[in-house]
Amino acid sequence: FKCAQIMSDKIIVNKVTASGILRLDLLQYQPDVVFADFDIKNYLFQELALIEKEFRIAMEAIDWEAYQGKAVSVYCSVDAIVPQWVYMLVAARLKPYAFSVIFGSEKEHYIKLWENRLLQADLTGYEGEKVAFRASEHIPEALYITATNVLAGKVASLMYGEPGLPKVIRKY
């Protein structure tokens, strides 16, 4: 027996293994990159307004190679009117160096990269199976939603928690 062990004359059955529940640990898709921020505020006149000529000069003076291989989050931390082309210009400058560039916070960037890795993963081995997502406070809620969207309707049942006592979310 694959899920049983014979001890003396007794058979001990591993009920977790016998249940056929597969554990899906979303932590295995966690991105492993170095993050960097690019705050537009630092290039505004008195942190309030954009003066195009000065901004373009400042962009020429930046050592863009410092962002090599990093996941860069571009944002403006002050309440200022920043034209959309400014973000485009910064992204165009970062593109040759950065691993990834997004508008938003580092946390948002981290979650987007994590979701992308999950969406690109080969999860065909879970199709038609009972699947339990590992419970962890280190996994953002957004990942559970993404994983549910990916596997809903493709698995026999979707669960949350440890395979020994999971919460059934949905049976298909």
Side-chain angles (χ1 to χ4, degrees), residues 5 8 72 83 85 97 101 118 132 154:
Q5 184 178 28
S8 304
V72 184
W85 65 263
Y97 305 101
V101 180
L118 181 60
K154 296 178 182 174

Side-chain angles (χ1 to χ4, degrees), residues 30-166:
Q30 189 174 12
D32 183 24
V33 295
V34 176
F35 288 89
D37 290 337
F38 190 96
D39 191 351
I40 300 294
K41 168 192 87 164
N42 301 325
Y43 304 97
L44 300 176
F45 176 71
Q46 295 182 348
E47 298 183 357
L48 293 172
L50 180 96
I51 299 174
E52 183 175 352
K53 184 176 180 181
E54 282 84 10
F55 180 77
R56 287 187 181 270
I57 291 169
M59 294 300 102
E60 291 293 329
I62 292 174
D63 175 16
W64 297 103
E65 288 184 15
Y67 296 96
Q68 186 68 45
K70 296 179 181 174
V72 184
S73 303
V74 180
Y75 61 95
C76 185
S77 63
V78 294
D79 190 21
I81 297 172
V82 179
Q84 293 167 327
W85 65 263
V86 168
Y87 296 103
M88 293 173 65
L89 188 140
V90 171
R93 295 290 185 143
L94 286 166
K95 181 66 178 154
Y97 305 101
F99 166 75
S100 173
V101 180
I102 71 145
F103 173 81
S105 69
E106 181 179 314
K107 181 179 179 182
E108 292 168 321
H109 199 166
Y110 181 65
I111 290 171
K112 277 186 182 183
L113 290 174
W114 200 339
E115 287 178 319
N116 287 341
R117 289 196 64 200
L118 181 60
L119 291 170
Q120 293 170 3
D122 179 11
L123 300 177
T124 56
Y126 294 98
E127 291 178 8
E129 302 289 342
K130 298 177 203 173
V131 178
F133 294 136
R134 175 183 181 204
S136 173
E137 70 274 3
H138 301 294
I139 300 172
E141 290 80 1
L143 266 291
Y144 289 105
I145 290 174
T146 300
T148 299
N149 287 334
V150 169
L151 293 175
K154 296 178 182 174
V155 296
S157 56
L158 198 56
M159 296 170 262
Y160 171 84
E162 296 307 314
L165 191 59

